[in-house]
Amino acid sequence: MAGEPLLRVEDLRLHYRSGNGVVRALDGVSFDVRRNEALVVLGESGCGKSTLAKALMRLLPRNVQHFSGSLLVDGVETMDYPEERFRREVRWVRISMVMQAAMNALNPVIRVGEQVAEPLRVHRGWSARRARERTAEVFGLVGISADFLQRYPFELSGGMRQRAVLAMALVTEPDLVIMDEPTSALDVLTQAGIMNALKRIKQELGTSFILITHDVSTSSEIAERVALMYAGQLVEFADARDFFREPAHPYSKLLMASVPRLHQKETPVHIPGQPPNLLNPPEGCRFAERCPSRFDRCDRDPETFRIGERRTVRCWLHAPGARP
Amino acid sequence: MNAPARDARRSAAGPVLSARDLHTWFELRQWGFLRVGSVRAVDGVNFELQAGEAVAFVGESGCGKSSLARTLLGLHQPTRGEVVFEGRSLGTLNATERKAYLARVGFVQQDPYGALPPFMDVRRILHEPLIVHGVRNRAEREQRAREALEEVRLSPPDDFLSKFPHMLSGGQQQRVVIARALILRPAMIIADEPVSMLDASVRVEILQLLRNIQTEHGLTLAFITHDLSTVRHFAERIFVMYAGRIVEQAEVNELLNHPQHPYTQALLAAISDPDPDNALHLREVPPGEPPSLLKPPAGCRFHPRCNRMIAGTCDRDDPPDFETRNGHLTACWLYR
C-alpha cells in the first residue's frame, strides 16, 4: 500500500487520576487507518475503547495524569499542536465523531436542522442559509427526508436521531468519522438501516470510519480491519476477513466463540472471569488470568508479534519458535 | 426435552397462565383532562403457557412487550380481556389472593441497578419479600437468602450478603435480582429483557443460569426480549410481537428455520452473524418504522411496510391466526 495512512497512532497512552490512584485506561495502543477504510475497534466495557475515541479527538477530561504517544494525520504529527491549532485544523475538520448516546444529547429546544448545521457555522463560518442547504444534502445522504430539518429532536424516532447525529459528523466533509457504539441502543431493523447508510456513505464519499463497539456481529457489516482491545491494550489487529474467520489471540478466539449466531445449535460459550482492574493491572499479560492457553512466559508482558503481512498479536504464543 | 414428553405434560396439566383477548390501553390526556386518545400498547393478545415451559416474547421497542409483561404481573389493569393464572382470572382476585399471586410469579427487571434499592444490602433485599409474605422467623429467612444466593451461583453467600448493589458488577446485580425473584419459590418467572443492560460476555452466562434454574425446578419462564439470536438456546416457543399484537408463534426451531410472517422474515434477515462478507452488500430492510400505537393502521399493522401487501385485504381487515405449518400460527392474509 503506497503512501502514508490517513491516521497513524503509535504507542498511545492515557492515564487518569482517580480517588484510588492512577487508572491506566490506554496503555500503549498502536494502529493505523487508511483512506476509505472502515476499522472496527472491539472490546468489552471498561477496556478503554471509549477513552481511545476521546483521545483521538483530544477531548480529554481534567483528571488526565499522563497523555503521550504519536498521532499522525497524513503523516503529520499532531500531538504537539496546541489546542487552538488542533481545533482549527483537525477536530471536526479532518476527524469528526459521533459520541456514545449522542442521539440522546441533542438539544431538545433547538430544531434538528440548526443543530446539525452548527459545525459549518462554527468551523467554516458559513451563513445560516448556505449551511442549511448543505445540511439538507447531508440529510439525504444519511436517509432522512429534508422535512425533518424543521423538527425538534423529540419528534424524531431513535433511528432518525442517530442518523441526525451522523449527519452532524458528516457536514464538514471530514476524512475520518469516529463512532462510539452508534447502534447499540437501537432495534435490529433500525440497526441494519443505519449500517446500510454507513456502507453507502463510505462508497459515495470515500470517508474512513472507526467504529467502536462491543457488538461483533453488527460490526461485521462494515469492518475491513479489526482492532481488539483488552484492558487498555490492543491484543490483536488484523484484516476483518482473518479476524472473523481465524482469530489468533486466545481472547479473540473466546470472543468469537461467545457471539450468538442465529442458526447455530451449540450454546455460545461465556468467557469466565473478569477483566483486570486498570488501577493496578497485572505485571505480565493482562489476559493471562482468564486464558486457557496460559504458560510460564505469560508472567512477563507480551510483545506485539507480527503474523504474516497484515496481522499483529500481543501474545507469547505467537513469538517465533514459541511452544507452551 | 423431546416433543412427546412435552405434549404429554401439556395435556395433563393444562395451561398455567393464559391471556384471553388481552388489551392494555393507556389513556392520553392533554392538560390533564382532555382525552386525546389511547395508546394501544397491548391490543388483542391471546396465548397459553404450559407448566414448565420456557417461552420468549420477541419484538422491537415500542411493540408492547413490556406492557404485556406488566399486565401479566397485574401491575396494569387490562382495558379488556383477562389474564388467567391457574384457572382464576386476575381481575377477580381480592387483595389477599392478589398478594398470593405475586408470590407465585417472580419478576426479573431489565435494569438490575435500577431494580435494586441502593440503600439496602443484599441481605435486606432478599429478606424483604419474605417479610412481606409473612416469614417471621429470622433464621429461616437467613437460610432461604443463603440458598437463593447459592442458586444463582453467588457463593459463598457470606461474601455477598452484606454488600450493597453498587459494590457488585452488573452481572452480579442481575443475579441478586434473580435470587430475589426466586426466593418465594414461584411457579413462574417473567423476565423483561434480563440481559440487555449487561456486557455481551455476561449475557450468555445469565441466560444459561435462568434456563438451568427453570429446568431444575420445573418453572414456567417467560422471557421478554428483542434479541432473536440468543432465543434458540433459552426458550422452547417464540411469540413475535408487532405493534401490540402477536403476529406469529411457533416452536423455536420451526420459527427460526421457517419464518412465515413477512415481519418475522424481515427481522431475521436483518440479524447478522459475524461474517466478513456482510460488508460486501446492503441488507434488505423494510421501509418506514413501526406505527404509532395511538393510531395504528387499519387491517394488518405491518401492511404499510410490507412488500407482499394484498391491496383491499391487508389494509382493511385484521388478519386472524392461520395455521401455516404444524403448530405454527401466523396472523397474515398470505396464508388464507
Side-chain angles (χ1 to χ4, degrees), chain A residues 155-207:
Chain A
E155 298 176 284
L156 271 62
S157 67
M160 285 296 170
R161 274 182 284 141
Q162 188 61 41
R163 286 170 195 262
V165 292
L166 176 61
M168 200 190 291
L170 287 169
V171 278
T172 53
E173 297 171 78
D175 299 310
L176 172 68
V177 178
I178 302 170
M179 290 180 295
D180 193 357
E181 301 279 8
T183 61
S184 55
L186 302 170
D187 284 311
V188 236
L189 291 177
T190 321
Q191 259 180 16
I194 297 224
M195 294 316 283
N196 278 348
L198 290 181
K199 288 182 203 181
R200 234 180 272 123
I201 291 162
K202 182 166 166 291
Q203 209 166 37
E204 283 174 29
L205 302 186
T207 315

Side-chain angles (χ1 to χ4, degrees), chain A residues 118-134:
Chain A
E118 193 176 273
L120 288 173
R121 313 256 295 141
V122 173
H123 284 274
R124 297 255 174 98
W126 282 15
S127 70
R129 176 141 181 221
R130 191 168 165 208
R132 193 162 49 236
E133 282 166 13
R134 169 74 187 139

Side-chain angles (χ1 to χ4, degrees), chain A residues 66-83:
Chain A
H66 176 88
F67 181 44
S68 69
S70 189
L71 229 163
L72 297 107
V73 180
D74 274 336
V76 180
E77 177 64 76
T78 63
M79 273 305 263
D80 47 10
Y81 280 17
E83 163 62 23

Side-chain angles (χ1 to χ4, degrees), chain A residues 45 157 187 196 199 220-221, chain B residues 61 199 277-278 281 283 289:
Chain A
S45 47
S157 67
D187 284 311
N196 278 348
K199 288 182 203 181
S220 73
E221 289 289 328
Chain B
S61 39
D199 233 336
D277 289 342
N278 290 341
H281 46 81
R283 251 166 220 283
E289 297 188 337

Side-chain angles (χ1 to χ4, degrees), chain A residues 136-152:
Chain A
E137 274 171 46
V138 180
F139 263 38
L141 205 62
V142 298
I144 318 179
S145 132
D147 308 342
F148 282 89
L149 286 168
Q150 296 302 313
R151 305 272 185 100
Y152 289 95

Side-chain angles (χ1 to χ4, degrees), chain B residues 186-207:
Chain B
M188 177 168 165
I189 298 234
I190 296 176
D192 187 4
E193 304 258 19
V195 296
S196 66
M197 308 282 274
L198 304 177
D199 233 336
S201 58
V202 190
R203 283 183 190 175
V204 179
E205 215 178 327
I206 296 282
L207 288 172

Side-chain angles (χ1 to χ4, degrees), chain B residues 30-318:
Chain B
Q30 211 165 20
W31 303 313
F33 61 94
L34 274 178
R35 289 185 192 185
V36 286
S38 295
V39 175
R40 306 172 175 196
V42 180
D43 204 22
V45 161
N46 290 288
F47 60 84
E48 290 186 343
L49 304 187
Q50 312 299 326
E53 82 172 330
V55 301
F57 292 88
V58 180
E60 294 180 278
S61 39
C63 74
K65 55 193 196 299
S66 288
S67 301
L68 175 64
R70 298 178 68 85
T71 311
L72 296 183
L73 284 161
L75 299 175
H76 294 314
Q77 278 302 328
T79 314
R80 201 159 83 215
E82 57 178 2
V83 179
V84 179
F85 181 73
E86 290 176 343
R88 297 199 53 193
S89 167
L90 288 197
T92 66
L93 302 182
N94 63 33
T96 333
E97 291 167 329
R98 208 175 175 74
K99 196 166 144 186
Y101 169 69
L102 289 174
R104 303 273 294 144
V105 182
F107 186 34
V108 176
Q109 292 93 332
Q110 177 170 15
D111 169 14
Y113 191 68
L116 297 172
F119 49 85
M120 289 188 186
D121 61 8
V122 171
R123 172 178 283 116
R124 181 76 201 281
I125 288 169
L126 294 178
H127 279 223
E128 198 82 353
L130 294 169
I131 296 172
V132 170
H133 288 276
V135 180
R136 293 273 156 71
N137 184 336
R138 203 190 139 75
E140 187 192 338
R141 288 203 306 261
E142 183 71 9
Q143 177 61 27
R144 281 174 69 174
R146 281 165 187 277
E147 279 169 19
L149 285 178
E150 294 275 4
E151 187 115 62
V152 297
R153 315 277 136 73
L154 287 177
S155 60
D158 283 312
D159 288 2
F160 296 95
L161 277 167
S162 48
K163 289 221 165 120
F164 286 85
H166 71 269
M167 300 156 91
L168 304 172
S169 71
Q172 289 171 336
Q173 288 171 3
Q174 194 58 288
R175 283 162 197 267
V176 173
V177 174
I178 295 171
R180 180 176 63 183
L182 285 173
I183 202 157
L184 294 167
R185 298 181 186 135
M188 177 168 165
I189 298 234
I190 296 176
D192 187 4
E193 304 258 19
V195 296
S196 66
M197 308 282 274
L198 304 177
D199 233 336
S201 58
V202 190
R203 283 183 190 175
V204 179
E205 215 178 327
I206 296 282
L207 288 172
Q208 253 160 8
L209 176 79
L210 269 171
R211 183 77 160 118
N212 289 343
I213 292 170
Q214 182 254 335
T215 34
E216 223 167 274
H217 296 267
L219 298 177
T220 310
L221 183 57
F223 276 116
I224 313 285
T225 179
H226 66 269
D227 185 6
L228 266 169
S229 60
T230 51
V231 145
R232 173 197 294 269
H233 309 290
F234 311 105
E236 294 152 13
R237 267 203 300 159
I238 303 187
F239 299 92
V240 180
M241 290 188 71
Y242 185 75
R245 297 216 169 133
I246 294 176
V247 295
E248 181 164 0
Q249 48 182 299
E251 294 261 290
V252 159
N253 288 315
E254 166 66 23
L255 189 127
L256 295 179
N257 296 331
H258 309 283
Q260 306 282 303
H261 197 285
Y263 174 65
T264 317
Q265 289 169 352
L267 212 51
L268 286 170
I271 295 175
S272 26
D273 281 352
D275 183 339
D277 289 342
N278 290 341
L280 303 178
H281 46 81
L282 296 180
R283 251 166 220 283
E284 229 174 272
V285 182
E289 297 188 337
S292 152
L293 297 178
L294 203 56
K295 271 192 210 119
C300 171
R301 306 226 157 146
F302 189 61
H303 87 258
R305 306 173 72 189
C306 185
N307 56 6
R308 296 162 74 188
M309 200 259 283
I310 306 165
T313 306
C314 297
D315 49 1
R316 266 218 325 258
D317 306 320
D318 268 341

